[in-house]
């Protein structure tokens, strides 16, 4: 309620990995309602955001889809500690009405001609998807079918445009896909955890450490957890 | 649905085009008419901004002009001017990136100006800038037009560079970045809505400019 | 080649096609540079290969009507003339010549809307708008009929007396030169030339 | 360090430029000389590919030509030709995207061809294609050059569209995507290494082409 | 305007600058269309506003030397001539004319390296390479000296007899027309015209 500091000053600049774009609208809306702090959200690939932050981007917070990018930033002195606010879940999306008895059957079915997987080199969900496939032991058999997407977002676009028949993506999009596709949550014991890490940044003079802290606290609040669960994240 | 990004885009495209038009004309003049032998290198060099992927160009831009860089820090300290994460930043980035789109057609237009026109100018004792404004630019009208449209249109669509240099502050939130966000949020309807508006508005604009400039004999300068 | 050109007279360069008449004019104007030799106007040195003097074209105060006219295609006749005039205002005396040469209805036409001869007359008028010290005319009668030639010659003579412009004309039209030139330089293919009165030089060969 | 992406890039840039050159000439000819009144709309329409951000263009591309789309499925079924996730796919995408870069300078060059040249052609009774090849193209050499360099250079740098349509197959792994990936993986050294190679090679190529084409009077066709 | 042009004769159109001579040639060639009237060659109808006939330029088998020559600047003189020739081979008889007109050393020159008169002669030769049924020449003597004119006239007469080409010349040079034209059409400013022998039409006004 302190209007004297000026509206400009109270804007919290949050950099988010592209895959957080979807739930982020709801999270910031509720956050602003509760605290009066407005948010400006930038989404990009985690790698590019990291580069931006290292080059002085005036972000207050970084919400990454994994731990390696925030860890890199801590190493170079742009932050202190990462808080894990949720765990992502891996999902498999495929056309509605497809009959199958197991994930293996589905993936090996000859009607499923292309399967999109995020790039494990750049996308956290790619690492998990690849791990999952290796675990169930059919990765090699899929070689001719696999289409690598740059990010979860791109994999989603492949599904949306029907460019592929099935895709590994984040379960957080379940509500978007439900109408036109089947979405299954894959067994979380079959892949490593997808830790969603938030980092308070110390990149410039204009940072808002107090508001950032408020946001981090909000992430573990009951209201926010509800939102995160609704969007298909796990909370511990 | 937020229409502010369109205004930012319009502003960016307009400023970029105007600035580049002003910059490109003397450069192109030099490239077209100078007898300096090294100009072929300069000319080739000026084509390079589009060789790099926009994001990569943006990365280097941040390294050299960002707040952490020497130059960037200096300007921020003493002039309160920041070359990154600001409208000025994406404008400079766009100008650098679109340089080839403006320079190349204008230079080729100037190269095709007949020798006797140039000689008449010398006989009349006109200065270079006067000749350029009154004679050469009207002659190469269609080449100018080509440079303007390519620059304008490309700035509207560009987003890798803008996203990298600008982040997404209110002042750097151009329509193409907004579309990118909507696509990331799987709001394909909204994204399409934006895209269609962008296409229609641009189309109307280009047609209108076309109609104005195509009027025979119209002189732009 | 060395010759004196008397600024009070109308001097003509005559010679076969391809002999180098246009080239001589271009060198005088400074558009091309002679390999060696001098170009002088009165006591002003314009070019000297020995002394490495080369006065820029724009300082030679020259008017040049090219063999192909070279009006600016993006400007009307009037705009062409205004552009050549100081301060952009066409001198009154030249506006009178516009009428005398029958171009009055064509001021707002573009060069590609003119006939060959109209273009040529407009080009001469444009060069007069510069009020040059020396006027170089390359085949200014080539596209004109006899009446138009007579009109143009009258206009040139008037301009000459009013602005005391030296006039140097390249032409292959013996008959016209006979009637209007004060002095003729006959360029020959071996690079030599004769200079003299038109009645002597031009008639001899008939 | 893998140099294969450079080969893919070179192939893509070369093919895109050649195909566009061939396509653009008749289109530009039509735009420059046709008396059809609607051509101003067609011309403006052909500028639109660069209005959309490449990723968005890629999205629409996949919707219309992707494997499940009517056209895409047909070609895949009957010709075993796939318009997505293949070299052919990114090639078609590049061709569509770079259309304006080739068409705009060539059209403006053709527009500046003097009327008496056109009339001489008619008097000589030459066909359009003959006149184009033997007379018009040599005249507009510098405009062709402008279109070629812009297309070539831009194809090298383009990555948003290629990333979307190509899906990171070996055959679609162009250098710009490789650089982007290395940057995302925070391997800045490798990325810079790639970028520098790309810049140097392109620079040498452009200078060389410049030197060849600038030879006075050289006739490209 | 209605007139017969005899294909066996050299017909000349004479008239003041701007009277419409070039325009008449352009209409005959089909480059411009008359508002009304007919254009016929022998018994072939080329244009008729009434019958809506308009033979395409390319089918009229016409050669046209424009007043501004219009050689292709990107081709040498030889390439220009080859381009105009059938099969790209310059006929032997025309190669002989190249020598007669003094262009033999200039075959590999580009038009902008030629003098005005050389350009003009090259343009005439290029049009002859087409071996046209009708040759339209717009002021073909304008940049030529008397000797070159004589050479060119000889070449035209030779071409005429060899290829039985009808020749129509626009010129304001009374003296030249008197010596070479078989028939003259004198265009007047009111749109009317006289047709007759050169000796009748041209001398009368002296
Ligand atoms: N740019 C050039 N490059 C090479 N040679 C040239 C060039 N311009 C002219 N020439 C040559 O120089 C000679 C003289 O040319 P110039 O134009 O001075 O002749 P001219 O006397 O004006 O003839 P004309 O009466 O036909 O106009 C000609 O033989 C011509 O071929
Ligand atoms: N494109 C054009 N648009 C409008 N008027 C034109 C155009 N071309 C020519 N004219 C006009 O038509 C008239 C006849 O022109 P034309 O060129 O036929 O004359 P000409 O008899 O050939 O003259 P000259 O001997 O000077 O070449 C002129 O008054 C000219 O101004
Ligand atoms: Mg000459
Ligand atoms: Mg005429």
């Amino acid at each position: 309620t302190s209007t004297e500091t000026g509206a400009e000053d109270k804007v919290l600049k949050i950099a988010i990995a592209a895959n957080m774009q979807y739930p982020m609208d709801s999270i910031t809306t509720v956050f602003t309602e509760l605290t009066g702090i407005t948010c400006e959200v930038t989404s990009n690939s985690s790698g590019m955001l990291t580069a931006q932050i290292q080059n002085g981007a005036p972000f207050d917070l970084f919400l990454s889809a994994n731990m390696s990018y925030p860890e890199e930033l801590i190493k170079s002195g742009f932050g202190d500690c990462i808080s894990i606010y949720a765990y992502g879940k891996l999902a498999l999306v495929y056309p509605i009405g497809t009959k199958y008895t197991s994930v293996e059957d589905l993936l090996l079915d000859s009607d499923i001609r292309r399967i999109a997987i995020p790039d494990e080199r750049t996308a956290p969900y790619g690492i998990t998807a690849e791990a999952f496939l290796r675990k169930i032991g059919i990765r090699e058999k899929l070689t001719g079918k696999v289409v690598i997407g740059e990010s979860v977002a791109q994999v989603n676009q492949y599904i949306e445009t029907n460019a592929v028949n099935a895709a590994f993506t984040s379960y957080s999009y379940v509500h978007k896909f439900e109408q036109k596709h089947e979405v299954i949550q894959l067994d979380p014991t079959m892949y490593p955890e997808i830790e969603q890490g938030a980092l308070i940044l110390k990149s410039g003079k204009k940072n808002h450490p107090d508001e950032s802290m408020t946001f981090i606290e909000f992430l573990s609040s009951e209201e926010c957890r509800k939102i995160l669960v609704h969007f298909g994240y796990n909370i511990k | 649905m937020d229409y502010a990004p369109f205004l930012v885009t319009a502003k960016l495209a307009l400023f970029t085009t105007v600035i580049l038009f002003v910059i490109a004309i003397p450069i192109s003049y030099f490239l077209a008419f100078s007898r300096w032998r090294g100009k072929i290198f300069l000319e080739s060099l000026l084509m390079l901004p589009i060789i790099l992927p926009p994001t990569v160009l943006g990365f280097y831009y941040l390294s050299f002009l960002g707040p952490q860089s020497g130059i960037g820090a200096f300007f921020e300290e003493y002039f309160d001017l920041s070359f990154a994460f600001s409208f000025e930043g994406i404008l400079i980035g766009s100008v650098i990136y679109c340089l080839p789109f403006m320079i190349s057609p204008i230079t080729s237009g100037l190269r095709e100006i007949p020798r006797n026109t140039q000689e008449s100018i010398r006989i009349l004792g006109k200065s270079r800038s006067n000749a350029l404004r009154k004679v050469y630019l009207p002659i190469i009208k269609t080449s100018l037009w080509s440079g303007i449209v390519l620059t304008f249109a490309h700035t509207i669509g560009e987003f890798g560079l803008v996203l990298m240099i600008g982040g997404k502050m209110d002042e750097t939130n151009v329509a193409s970045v907004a579309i990118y966000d909507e696509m990331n949020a799987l709001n394909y309807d909204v994204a399409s809505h934006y895209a269609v508006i962008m296409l229609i508005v641009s189309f109307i604009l280009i047609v209108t400019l076309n109609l104005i400039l195509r009027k025979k004999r119209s002189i732009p300068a | 080649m060395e010759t004196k050109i008397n600024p009070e007279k109308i001097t003509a360069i005559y010679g076969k096609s391809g002999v180098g008449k246009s080239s001589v004019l271009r060198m005088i104007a400074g558009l091309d540079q002679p390999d060696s030799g001098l170009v002088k106007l009165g006591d002003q040195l314009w070019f000297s290969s020995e002394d490495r003097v080369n006065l820029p074209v724009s300082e030679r105060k020259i008017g040049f009507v090219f063999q192909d006219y070279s009006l600016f295609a993006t400007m009307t006749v009037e705009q062409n003339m205004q552009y050549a005039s100081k301060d952009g205002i066409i001198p009154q005396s030249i506006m009178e010549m516009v009428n005398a040469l029958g171009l009055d209805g064509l001021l707002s036409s573009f060069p590609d809307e003119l006939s060959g001869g109209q273009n040529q007359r407009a080009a001469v008028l444009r060069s007069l708008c510069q009020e040059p010290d020396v006027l170089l005319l390359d085949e200014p009668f080539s596209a004109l009929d006899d009446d138009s030639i007579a009109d143009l010659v009258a206009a040139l003579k008037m301009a000459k007396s009013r602005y005391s412009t030296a006039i140097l004309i390249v032409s292959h039209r013996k008959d016209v030169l006979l009637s209007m030139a004060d002095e003729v330089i006959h360029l020959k293919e071996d690079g030599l030339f004769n200079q003299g009165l038109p009645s002597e030089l031009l008639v001899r060969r008939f």
Side-chain angles (χ1 to χ4, degrees), chain A residues 45 47-48 51 69 114 119 147-148 150 157-158 161-163 165:
Chain A
S45 74
M48 288 300 150
Y69 293 106
R114 288 192 179 85
D119 191 345
V147 171
I148 304 290
E150 172 60 24
Q157 285 158 18
Y158 287 160
T161 57
N162 290 319
N165 312 103

Side-chain angles (χ1 to χ4, degrees), chain B residues 27-166:
Chain B
I27 299 180
S28 296
Y29 185 93
F30 176 80
L31 292 177
F33 295 127
S34 150
R35 299 230 182 102
W36 178 50
R37 295 201 115 223
K39 75 174 180 175
I40 223 161
F41 292 97
L42 178 64
E43 189 177 359
S44 305
L45 211 61
L46 290 172
M47 283 295 131
L48 293 186
I50 49 176
I51 293 278
L52 286 182
T55 351
V56 176
L57 190 67
F59 177 82
Y60 290 120
Y61 180 97
L62 287 183
S63 315
F64 290 110
L65 293 175
Q68 304 285 102
S69 67
I71 304 172
F74 176 83
F75 274 88
E76 200 149 327
E77 183 73 33
Y78 294 100
F79 299 97
D80 197 25
L81 185 67
S82 81
F83 291 151
F85 310 106
S86 63
F87 182 76
E88 290 77 23
I90 59 174
L91 182 57
I92 297 173
S94 287
V95 165
I96 295 173
Y97 188 65
C98 288
L99 206 61
F101 298 134
M102 192 64 99
I103 285 195
S104 181
I106 297 185
T107 307
S108 80
L110 288 173
R111 282 219 172 88
E112 282 165 16
I113 285 180
R115 203 181 55 174
N116 63 11
T117 303
Q118 298 175 40
E119 290 180 343
S120 302
I121 289 291
R122 291 177 66 196
I123 291 292
L124 292 180
K126 297 294 176 181
S127 68
R128 286 172 188 195
S129 72
N130 180 296
L132 191 61
R133 233 172 40 244
K134 302 283 185 133
V135 180
Y136 296 161
L137 295 188
I139 291 179
I140 62 163
K141 205 182 67 181
T142 70
S143 300
L144 294 177
W145 173 232
S146 164
I148 290 172
V149 174
L150 289 181
T151 304
F152 188 83
H154 196 269
T155 307
I156 293 177
E158 180 32 47
F159 92 105
L161 183 69
V162 168
L163 186 58
M164 195 68 189
I165 297 179

Side-chain angles (χ1 to χ4, degrees), chain C residues 8-197:
Chain C
E8 265 104 70
K9 291 183 179 168
I10 293 183
T11 311
I13 299 180
Y14 172 85
K16 280 197 69 159
S17 169
V19 82
K21 306 183 293 295
S22 301
S23 307
V24 168
L25 287 196
R26 291 175 58 83
M27 287 173 194
I28 296 176
L31 294 173
D32 288 340
Q33 285 170 37
D35 292 334
S36 62
L38 317 165
V39 178
K40 266 189 175 182
L41 178 80
D43 42 357
Q44 266 185 291
L45 186 65
W46 280 2
F47 177 87
S48 160
S49 56
E50 256 171 45
D51 305 340
R52 296 176 170 270
V53 175
N54 188 12
L55 198 72
V57 179
S58 55
E59 285 169 33
R60 298 191 184 196
K61 297 203 120 210
I62 265 182
F64 198 141
V65 179
F66 291 93
Q67 202 166 357
D68 63 356
Y69 330 141
S70 298
L71 290 175
F72 298 124
T74 46
M75 297 181 183
T76 62
V77 171
E78 187 167 18
Q79 287 166 343
N80 263 289
M81 290 172 65
Q82 285 168 340
Y83 187 59
S85 307
K86 288 181 195 104
D87 316 318
I89 297 156
I90 305 173
Q92 187 53 41
S93 56
I94 293 173
M95 278 312 281
E96 282 160 19
M97 293 183 200
V98 170
N99 298 340
L101 296 182
L103 297 179
D104 33 323
L106 301 169
L107 281 176
S108 56
S109 297
F110 286 90
D112 67 359
E113 296 166 348
L114 300 185
S115 80
Q118 289 163 348
N119 239 307
Q120 189 163 42
R121 282 170 278 165
V124 174
L125 288 179
R126 182 180 73 175
S127 71
L128 287 176
C129 288
Q130 287 184 259
E131 301 179 28
D133 289 349
V134 184
L135 183 56
L136 307 176
L137 300 156
D138 199 351
E139 304 279 9
F141 313 122
S142 64
L144 301 181
D145 60 288
D146 296 340
D147 294 346
S148 303
I149 292 175
D151 295 341
L152 183 59
V153 168
L156 287 175
K157 287 194 166 152
M158 179 155 78
K160 182 175 173 47
S161 66
R162 191 185 290 252
Y163 303 111
S164 60
T165 307
I167 294 185
L168 187 58
I169 291 184
V170 161
S171 177
H172 57 266
R173 289 290 297 267
K174 279 186 203 164
D175 50 345
V176 179
L177 294 183
L178 266 172
S179 73
M180 57 90 72
D182 299 316
E183 187 144 6
V184 170
I185 296 169
H186 183 178
L187 268 191
K188 302 234 180 99
E189 274 159 296
D190 49 13
L192 299 177
F193 66 99
N194 296 330
Q195 185 160 4
L197 289 180

